[in-house]
């Protein structure tokens, strides 16, 4: 007995000494490692790596950039069942232990000793936070010791809920998703509060092996892991038996979901990404959660995208069918639907075009299988357009039966009959070869309100709005005419509309610019010359201005002098410019003569909503300009200005708004708007015999408003087609052409009997580019009242003879009122009429002018 007591004492002493040595060793190890341990207090202010998000001006998500997808959440936003799922799976004693769980360690060790397998982890959630934020994932003894000490430090500095929040936001869960908020979006396209118990269990099971256990890559493993999570929740009485069975029997539904993009503007998003990296560098751009708000409005961006896509698809309708993408089978062995869907899975989809396989061909219709598994019918209305494409200038005969167009097994692209197709009526389609660009800017400050750089960003990332320098054709003429007005010409000045035949001794050839169509009217007023896009008149006016003067004048609008040809072809648009440059230049005419600078970022906010940057563009403001000129802060002056002048101008002493530089006079801009209104509305009244169309007449019929102006443009051999136009607030440019400069837009050889697409003959600005502009403006200006015509100071109206541009007493169809800068109006009467009485001169405030101008446009 004494021996037993003796050994018991010795054992107790040994255990005590061992314990003290162990504690001493731990303390020694702690103080040895402590200098290498990071400061865990930084977790209180940690900034999680979150992607940059790009929004429209009205808050619609356009894109996000960053390697790690994360949607930060607070603990209050996490469903209670999700918290319980993670606790049951990862650390059920989380709210009880001090960061290290001895009971959990002993339990895990016991299981490993008994089974020889590591079935339970010993790391607490706090230890995982320590590892995820401060340590590598290398499996070494010293790393594990650091992890334990860091976990203890974290518990001293943060509350349990703060630790759990960090864990749920930081943990990697596969497919570049970090945190449960991102995982819910990636796998289910849902927010946390929308998840089912079955989906919660799948996500809670991912931390063990996110790559191997996710429901996209391995549904079978994901289901088995879900069963484990649900079983642990049941063991802990977090769920009932009924809940367990329902969730356990639910199918695995996970599939990849990209970011919830609300608005398609990929070309703009790339511009934003490039700009933010230029400003802040990649690290801040991709990880600091910047929220970038652009200047585009979602409605106008969507309208521009739809207008451009429809216009390109309609061009393709006119020019014929180029054939299928390929064949699903080439013999009588028809593939099963499952095999067809596997084949189509790899085929790209370019909205609204969807890949499909023709299954059955009947006389006047076909049946097809879409990539999403839907079986659809394409009627004859969706097939009859498909004449064979022969060349850009020629199409084959109209088909009579469906088998003349497609065969069973053809892999094709189908699209809805309309973009808002509610009845699932489909038609045969194809990916356009032709390209296009569309840009709309705010005339008052240069804000980009819509931008589309091509048919589809995945098809081509080349941004034609900012990168495609193309010859602009007759879009150059307004700048030639504006230069002419600046040198004393008027809207009634006569230019000889007659052929030009000029010998070029250096080239040894004659230069013979021609009108299109080649008709000539002799001496013609400037208003008609621009409205009807008379080429020879533009050249003759260009000669009057002078080459050097014209180039210097055009440079005011932002055109690079080095890119303007130093010859008379410039008068016909041989200069190559981008659609953005053209739109900005046209805005000067619309806003009264100011040069605004385009911009597309309105403001930048940090992840927590702090304002980092706010755009302060220079404004086109006539009222502000006049106040600055007067240099007065007299409140009585401001009381005479219509509207809220203080808010409008916001200049000293009321603020710090900067006025954009004036580059042409207000009067010049007004007269140019008048000429470009005639491009759309023509000249003459329907009550008389003087009616004529401008080249942009289609806009008058479609939009039915008079506060518009614009100009068509077509280059030699119709390689480029343009339409640029405006209302008082918005300027927009539409361009269409091939990226391959050798190809022409061509012509349509015969009527294809497709209602509004019945365009015969050569493609041109009015036929090919303007439809997109009209469609956009119809949407953008919906509900916006037409703006009245306001005459600037020193503008007068006099009645002139239409043929000569001289004064006249007549008030019949041979005459009209015309606008002039005061002092430039004609003084001579047609046919030597006596001018001893006061002629019909109408000032800017006369009611007679408005009542008499039945053919103002």
């Amino acid at each position: 007995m004494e021996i037993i007591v003796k050994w018991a004492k010795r054992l107790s002493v040994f255990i005590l000494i061992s314990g003290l040595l162990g504690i001493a060793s731990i303390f020694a190890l702690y103080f040895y490692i402590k200098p290498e341990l990071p400061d865990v207090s930084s977790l209180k202010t940690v900034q999680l790596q979150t992607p940059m998000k790009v929004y429209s001006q009205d808050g619609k998500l356009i894109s996000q950039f960053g390697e790690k997808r994360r949607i930060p959440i607070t603990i209050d936003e996490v469903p209670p069942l999700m918290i319980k799922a993670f606790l049951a799976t990862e650390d059920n004693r989380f709210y009880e232990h001090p960061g290290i769980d001895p009971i959990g360690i002993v339990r895990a060790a016991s299981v490993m000793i008994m089974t020889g397998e590591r079935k339970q982890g010993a790391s607490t959630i706090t230890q995982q936070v320590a590892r995820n934020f401060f340590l590598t994932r290398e499996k070494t003894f010293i790393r594990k010791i650091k992890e334990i000490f860091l976990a203890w430090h974290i518990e001293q500095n943060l509350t349990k809920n703060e630790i759990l929040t960090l864990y749920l936001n930081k943990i990697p869960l596969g497919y570049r998703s970090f945190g449960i908020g991102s995982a819910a979006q990636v796998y289910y396209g849902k927010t946390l509060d929308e998840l089912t118990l079955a989906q919660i269990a799948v996500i809670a099971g991912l931390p063990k092996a996110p790559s191997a256990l996710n429901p996209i890559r391995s549904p079978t493993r994901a289901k088995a892991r879900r069963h484990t999570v649900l079983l642990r929740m049941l063991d802990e009485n977090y769920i009932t038996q009924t809940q367990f069975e329902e969730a356990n029997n639910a199918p695995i539904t996970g599939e990849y979901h990209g970011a919830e993009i609300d608005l398609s503007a990929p070309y703009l998003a790339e511009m934003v990404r490039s700009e933010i990296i230029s400003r802040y560098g990649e690290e801040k751009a991709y990880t600091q959660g910047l929220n970038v708000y652009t200047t585009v409005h979602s409605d106008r961006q969507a309208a521009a995208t739809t207008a451009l896509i429809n216009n390109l698809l309609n061009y393709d309708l006119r020019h014929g069918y180029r054939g299928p993408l390929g064949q699903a089978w080439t013999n009588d062995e028809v593939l099963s639907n499952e095999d067809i869907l596997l084949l189509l899975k790899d085929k790209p989809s370019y909205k609204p075009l969807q890949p499909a396989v023709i299954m059955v061909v009947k006389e006047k219709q076909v049946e097809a299988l879409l990539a999403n598994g839907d079986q659809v019918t394409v009627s004859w209305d969706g097939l009859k357009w498909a004449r064979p494409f022969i060349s850009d200038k020629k199409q084959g005969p109209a088909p009579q039966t469906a088998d003349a167009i497609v065969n069973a097994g053809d892999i094709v692209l189908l699209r809805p009959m309309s973009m808002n197709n509610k009845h699932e009526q489909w038609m045969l389609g194809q990916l356009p070869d032709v390209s296009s660009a569309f840009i709309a800017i705010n005339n008052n400050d240069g804000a980009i309100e819509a931008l589309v750089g091509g048919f589809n960003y995945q098809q081509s990332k080349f941004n034609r709005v900012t990168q495609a320098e193309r010859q602009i054709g007759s879009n150059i003429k307004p700048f030639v005419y504006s230069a002419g007005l600046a040198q004393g010409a008027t809207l009634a000045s006569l230019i000889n509309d007659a052929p030009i035949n000029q010998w070029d001794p250096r080239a040894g050839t004659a230069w013979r610019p021609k009108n299109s169509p080649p008709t000539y009217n002799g001496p013609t007023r400037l208003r008609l010359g621009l409205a009807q896009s008379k080429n020879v008149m533009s050249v003759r006016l260009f000669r009057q201005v002078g080459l050097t003067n014209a180039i210097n004048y055009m440079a005011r609008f932002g055109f690079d002098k080095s890119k303007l040809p130093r010859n008379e072809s410039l008068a016909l648009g041989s200069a190559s410019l981008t659609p953005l440059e053209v739109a900005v230049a046209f805005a000067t005419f619309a806003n009264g003569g100011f040069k605004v600078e385009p911009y597309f970022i309105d403001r930048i906010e940090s992840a927590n909503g702090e304002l980092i940057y706010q755009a302060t563009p220079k404004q086109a403001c006539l009222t502000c300009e006049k106040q600055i000129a007067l240099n007065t802060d007299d409140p009585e002056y401001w009381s005479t200005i219509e509207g809220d002048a203080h808010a409008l101008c916001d200049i000293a002493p009321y603020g710090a708004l900067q006025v954009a530089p004036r580059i042409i006079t207000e009067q010049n801009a007004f007269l140019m708007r008048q000429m470009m209104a005639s491009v759309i509305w023509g000249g003459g009244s329907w009550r008389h015999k003087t009616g004529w169309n401008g080249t942009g007449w289609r806009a008058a019929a479609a939009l039915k408003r008079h506060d518009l102006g614009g100009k068509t443009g077509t280059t030699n051999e119709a390689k480029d087609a343009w339409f640029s136009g405006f209302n008082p607030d918005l300027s927009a440019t539409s361009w269409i052409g091939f990226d391959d400069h050798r190809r022409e837009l061509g012509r349509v050889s015969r009527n294809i009997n497709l209602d509004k697409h019945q365009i015969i003959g050569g493609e041109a600005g009015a036929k090919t580019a303007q439809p997109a502009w009209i469609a956009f403006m119809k949407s953008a200006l919906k509900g916006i009242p037409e703006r009245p015509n306001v005459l600037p100071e020193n503008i007068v109206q006099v009645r002139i003879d239409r043929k000569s541009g001289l004064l006249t007493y007549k008030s019949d169809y041979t005459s009209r009122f015309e606008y002039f800068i005061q002092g430039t109006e004609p003084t001579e009467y047609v046919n030597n009429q006596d001018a001893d009485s006061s002629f019909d001169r109408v000032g800017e405030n006369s009611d007679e002018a408005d009542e008499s101008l039945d053919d103002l446009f």
Side-chain angles (χ1 to χ4, degrees):
M1 187 61 140
E2 291 181 4
I3 296 175
I4 294 175
V5 172
K6 183 178 179 179
W7 279 103
K9 288 182 179 179
R10 289 180 179 178
L11 182 60
S12 298
V13 171
F14 176 77
I15 292 173
L16 177 62
I17 293 173
S18 297
L20 291 174
L21 287 175
I23 293 172
S25 298
I26 291 173
F27 271 98
L29 186 59
Y30 171 71
F31 284 107
Y32 176 76
I33 293 177
K34 184 179 179 180
E36 300 178 19
L37 298 178
D39 182 8
V40 299
S41 63
S42 62
L43 292 176
K44 282 186 172 291
T45 57
V46 69
Q47 177 150 4
L48 296 168
Q49 291 188 17
T50 53
M52 173 179 67
K53 293 185 177 180
V54 181
Y55 295 93
S56 64
Q57 182 260 346
D58 52 334
K60 299 292 181 67
L61 181 63
I62 293 174
S63 187
Q64 68 177 27
F65 297 96
E67 292 183 5
K68 296 182 178 180
R69 294 185 56 183
R70 181 180 279 112
I71 303 174
I73 49 90
T74 65
I75 196 68
D76 295 333
E77 295 172 318
V78 185
L81 273 181
M82 176 161 271
I83 293 177
K84 292 175 180 178
F86 273 94
L87 294 181
T89 308
E90 297 294 322
D91 187 0
N92 198 43
R93 287 173 38 80
F94 171 72
Y95 281 100
E96 301 169 16
H97 63 63
I100 305 102
D101 186 9
I103 295 176
I105 293 173
V106 171
R107 184 172 60 243
S110 300
V111 171
M112 186 173 67
I113 292 171
M114 293 174 62
T115 64
E117 298 179 9
R118 187 180 177 182
K119 293 186 176 182
Q120 291 188 338
S123 291
T124 65
I125 283 177
T126 311
Q127 286 177 264
Q128 292 185 58
V129 169
R131 181 168 63 243
N132 288 335
F133 279 94
F134 298 117
L135 302 173
T136 66
R137 300 189 69 86
E138 62 177 344
K139 295 181 179 181
T140 62
F141 176 76
I142 195 66
R143 196 273 294 166
K144 193 67 177 179
I145 294 298
K146 289 180 179 180
E147 179 185 298
I148 292 172
F149 288 145
L150 280 173
W152 185 77
H153 275 199
I154 290 171
E155 291 276 349
Q156 310 308 307
N157 284 269
L158 277 72
T159 67
K160 287 289 187 179
N161 279 350
E162 287 174 335
I163 296 170
L164 186 58
T165 301
L166 287 172
Y167 171 77
L168 294 176
N169 277 307
K170 179 74 172 179
I171 190 165
L173 295 172
Y175 279 89
R176 293 173 53 216
S177 64
F178 290 77
I180 58 176
S182 179
Q185 167 61 37
V186 167
Y187 294 114
Y188 300 110
K190 294 181 178 182
T191 56
L192 292 177
D193 60 319
E194 297 172 327
L195 295 174
T196 66
L197 174 58
Q199 293 166 341
I200 286 173
V202 169
I203 293 175
L206 289 174
K208 182 179 180 180
S211 296
L213 298 176
N214 72 73
I216 299 174
R217 182 174 180 179
S218 180
T220 302
R221 291 181 180 179
K223 188 173 184 179
R225 180 61 176 167
R226 182 185 68 180
H227 174 77
T228 301
V229 173
L230 290 169
L231 199 58
R232 290 183 183 176
M233 294 180 73
L234 181 63
D235 290 342
E236 298 296 335
N237 294 319
Y238 290 154
I239 58 175
T240 66
Q241 183 68 34
T242 301
Q243 287 177 302
F244 169 82
E245 292 176 358
E246 181 181 348
N248 195 49
N249 293 327
I252 294 293
T253 58
E255 58 182 48
Y256 182 77
H257 293 78
E260 282 293 325
I261 302 301
D262 299 317
L263 177 67
S264 176
Y267 293 96
L268 176 70
E270 174 56 26
M271 291 168 64
V272 171
R273 186 196 69 82
S274 178
E275 177 65 21
I276 296 300
I277 289 176
S278 176
R279 292 189 187 191
Y280 304 116
E282 289 192 10
E283 177 65 23
K284 186 172 183 178
Y286 291 152
T287 66
Q288 300 301 303
L290 298 179
N291 294 312
V292 184
Y293 290 85
T294 66
T295 55
V296 303
H297 192 281
S298 60
D299 290 344
R300 288 183 172 177
Q301 176 64 29
T305 300
T306 300
L308 180 143
I309 289 175
N310 280 342
N311 194 43
L312 288 181
L313 293 175
N314 289 339
Y315 173 91
D316 249 21
L317 289 180
R318 300 193 292 269
H319 286 263
Y321 183 52
R322 295 187 298 276
L325 302 176
Q327 279 72 41
W329 60 82
T330 56
N331 50 40
D332 294 334
E333 296 182 7
V334 178
L335 296 180
S336 67
N337 284 10
E338 290 76 13
D339 289 337
I340 291 173
L341 293 179
L342 285 174
L343 177 67
L344 293 177
K345 186 177 181 180
D346 296 329
K347 298 297 180 182
S349 176
Y350 302 107
K351 190 177 181 180
L353 299 168
Q354 299 185 37
V357 168
I358 302 298
M359 305 297 291
V360 178
V361 180
K362 299 180 180 179
E363 184 179 4
K364 293 287 186 177
Q365 68 179 41
V366 301
E367 296 176 6
L369 182 65
L370 294 173
N372 63 6
D374 290 348
Q375 298 190 20
V376 300
T377 298
V378 183
S379 68
W380 186 242
D381 285 340
L383 294 169
K384 63 184 180 182
W385 68 270
R387 296 177 295 162
F389 172 87
I390 297 175
S391 71
D392 293 325
K393 296 182 179 180
K394 187 175 182 181
Q395 303 82 43
Q400 302 301 314
T401 57
D403 60 5
I405 304 169
V406 293
N407 298 305
D410 281 356
I411 303 173
V412 299
L413 293 172
L414 301 182
R415 68 180 178 97
M417 291 284 279
S418 69
M419 293 289 281
N420 298 316
N421 183 21
K422 296 181 180 179
H423 302 291
E424 298 298 322
Q425 295 180 333
W426 294 86
M427 69 182 301
L428 182 66
Q430 60 188 354
L431 188 63
D433 279 350
V434 71
S435 299
S436 186
F438 195 94
I439 174 70
I441 72 165
N442 187 302
N443 296 328
N444 302 311
D445 63 2
I448 292 177
E449 298 208 1
L451 183 150
V452 190
F455 180 78
N456 186 282
Y457 187 73
Q458 298 307 316
Q459 175 203 17
S460 170
K461 295 176 174 57
F462 182 60
N463 187 345
R464 295 156 188 84
V465 169
T466 60
Q467 297 175 297
E469 294 185 344
R470 304 295 294 241
Q471 287 191 344
I472 67 171
S474 293
N475 258 203
I476 199 69
K477 291 176 183 175
F479 307 100
V480 176
Y481 277 64
S482 178
L485 295 179
Q487 289 197 359
T490 72
L491 303 195
S493 295
L494 298 181
I495 299 289
N496 193 18
D497 179 26
I500 293 175
N501 190 347
Q502 177 177 315
W503 179 257
D504 184 350
R506 291 175 299 179
T509 59
W511 186 50
R512 298 186 179 92
K514 297 179 180 179
N515 289 340
S516 180
T519 58
Y520 303 88
N521 300 323
T524 303
R525 289 176 289 127
L526 284 191
R527 180 188 282 270
L528 276 73
L530 184 64
Q532 296 185 329
S533 201
K534 296 288 189 176
N535 287 339
V536 295
M537 289 183 64
S538 183
V539 173
R540 294 184 192 278
L541 182 61
F542 186 87
R543 289 175 175 176
Q544 292 181 16
V545 172
L547 176 62
T548 300
N549 290 338
I551 290 177
N552 290 338
Y553 191 84
M554 291 178 186
R556 298 184 188 182
F557 294 85
F559 302 153
D560 186 342
K561 285 185 182 180
S562 66
K563 296 180 180 179
L564 301 179
R566 295 194 61 84
N567 56 63
E568 291 181 347
S569 70
L570 177 59
L572 303 180
S574 60
S576 294
L577 302 169
T578 67
L580 178 59
E581 290 174 311
V582 175
V584 171
F586 268 78
T588 294
F589 299 127
N591 67 29
F594 298 94
K595 174 66 169 64
V596 294
E597 295 295 330
Y599 71 104
F600 51 87
I601 296 178
D602 177 63
R603 69 186 188 278
I604 304 171
E605 295 179 357
S606 67
N608 60 12
E610 178 186 357
L611 184 65
I612 297 175
Y613 166 81
Q614 176 66 61
T616 55
K618 294 182 179 181
Q619 303 278 335
C621 180
L622 291 168
T623 306
C624 302
E625 181 188 49
K626 293 174 182 177
Q627 192 273 346
I628 292 173
L630 290 172
N631 193 26
T632 178
D633 56 5
D634 182 359
E636 292 186 6
Y637 166 82
W638 290 101
S639 66
T640 65
I641 304 298
E642 293 184 3
D644 187 355
H646 296 186
L648 173 66
C649 296
D650 193 30
I651 59 174
Y654 304 102
L657 181 143
Q658 299 183 59
V659 178
R662 174 173 290 286
I663 57 173
I664 61 175
T665 67
E666 183 183 0
Q667 293 74 25
N668 187 299
F670 172 81
L671 295 177
M672 288 306 306
R673 292 198 300 274
Q674 285 297 306
M675 280 196 278
M676 284 189 278
S678 291
V679 171
I680 292 175
W681 282 98
S685 166
W686 61 271
R687 290 180 293 221
H688 302 304
K689 302 176 182 180
T690 58
W692 51 269
N693 285 332
T695 56
W697 60 268
R698 292 171 176 82
L703 300 175
K704 298 180 176 65
R705 52 190 298 155
H706 289 79
D707 59 346
L708 304 173
K711 186 68 190 76
T712 53
T714 310
T715 62
N716 284 342
E717 300 175 326
K719 292 184 177 181
D720 300 273
W722 299 75
F723 189 87
S724 297
F726 49 78
N727 90 317
D729 295 315
L730 194 66
S731 290
T733 290
S734 170
W735 167 83
I736 185 170
F738 287 96
D739 290 334
D740 181 350
H741 290 239
R742 295 169 299 181
R743 290 186 67 175
E744 303 173 20
L745 288 168
R747 59 186 300 108
V748 179
S749 57
R750 65 189 67 153
N751 194 329
I752 60 175
N753 191 28
L754 280 177
D755 302 323
K756 62 182 179 181
H757 309 310
Q758 295 183 27
I759 295 179
I760 306 174
E763 302 283 356
K767 298 177 182 179
T768 316
Q770 191 187 26
W773 186 91
I774 291 173
F776 170 78
M777 282 296 192
K778 184 178 291 186
S779 175
L781 301 181
K782 185 177 181 180
I784 298 177
E786 184 174 326
R787 295 273 288 276
N789 195 34
V790 179
L791 273 64
E793 296 176 354
N794 300 322
I795 289 289
V796 297
Q797 299 171 34
V798 299
R799 188 182 290 279
I800 64 167
D801 173 64
R802 291 177 180 272
K803 184 175 182 180
S804 66
L806 300 177
L807 297 175
T808 181
Y809 289 126
K810 294 183 178 180
S811 58
D812 59 13
Y813 64 86
T814 65
S815 69
R816 63 160 293 151
F817 280 101
E818 189 57 277
Y819 293 105
F820 296 88
I821 299 174
Q822 192 167 20
T824 66
E825 65 271 26
T827 56
E828 181 183 353
Y829 280 80
V830 66
N831 297 329
N832 297 317
Q833 292 176 340
D834 188 7
D836 57 359
S837 62
S838 60
F839 55 81
D840 242 339
R841 172 168 165 171
V842 186
E844 60 178 310
N845 297 317
S846 171
D847 291 334
E848 180 185 352
D850 292 335
E851 294 173 356
S852 302
L853 294 180
D854 56 8
D855 50 7
L856 176 63
F857 298 97

